[in-house]
Every structure is written in C-alpha cells, then in structure tokens.
C-alpha cells in the first residue's frame, strides 16, 4: 500500500513543524510531544489513516493536518 501524505502544522513547547509527511511520521512526531491520554484522544478524533483534514488542540500542543495526494517535490 502506498504511503499516505499529510500536510502538518504542529506546535508544542519544544517548537513547531510545518511540512508534508507520511501518516507514520506524523504519528511519531505526535508521540514525541503529546501526553499519552491526549495523544490517544487526538488519534481517535483525527482518524489519521482516513481523515481529509482536521485540527486538535491539546493542553500545550496543537496539530492541524490536511491529506495531500502526492509528496512534495524536492526541486
């Protein structure tokens, strides 16, 4: 199955990220910065493998994401 790409804007006390990445990379990013209870709630709310677009606001972090058809080109 081909990788699914998501454009992500992620903000936490450790910094912010805005780029296109795979669902797996997005999950890893969230897991490094979100408390487990909020992470689980966000994953259920966003349905990372099926969503088209969404936003979740945690206690001290947030993520906005939108599914994209193709990865960004590196020119």
């Amino acid at each position: 199955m081909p990788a699914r790409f998501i454009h992500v804007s992620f903000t936490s006390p450790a910094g912010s990220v805005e780029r296109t990445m795979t669902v797996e990379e997005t999950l890893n990013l969230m897991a490094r910065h979100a408390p487990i209870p909020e992470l689980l709630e966000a994953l259920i709310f966003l349905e990372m493998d099926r969503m088209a677009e969404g936003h979740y606001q945690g206690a001290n972090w947030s993520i906005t994401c939108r599914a994209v058809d193709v990865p960004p080109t590196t020119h």
Side-chain angles (χ1 to χ4, degrees), residues 3-70:
R4 177 152 179 180
F5 290 89
I6 301 172
H7 183 81
V8 173
S9 294
F10 182 88
T11 304
S12 75
S16 62
V17 172
E18 182 160 349
R19 68 182 182 101
T20 299
M21 58 182 80
T22 65
V23 170
E24 183 176 308
E25 291 169 325
T26 303
L27 296 174
N28 289 334
L29 173 68
M30 292 171 67
R32 287 192 309 270
H33 298 282
I36 295 298
E38 288 184 4
L39 174 63
L40 296 175
E41 184 178 300
L43 294 177
I44 291 166
F45 177 76
L46 294 171
E47 297 184 84
M48 297 299 288
D49 63 337
R50 293 182 287 173
M51 66 161 193
E53 127 176 40
H55 175 80
Y56 183 85
Q57 178 67 51
N60 64 352
W61 65 279
S62 67
I63 186 167
T64 301
C65 33
R66 174 180 42 85
V68 294
D69 292 334
V70 294

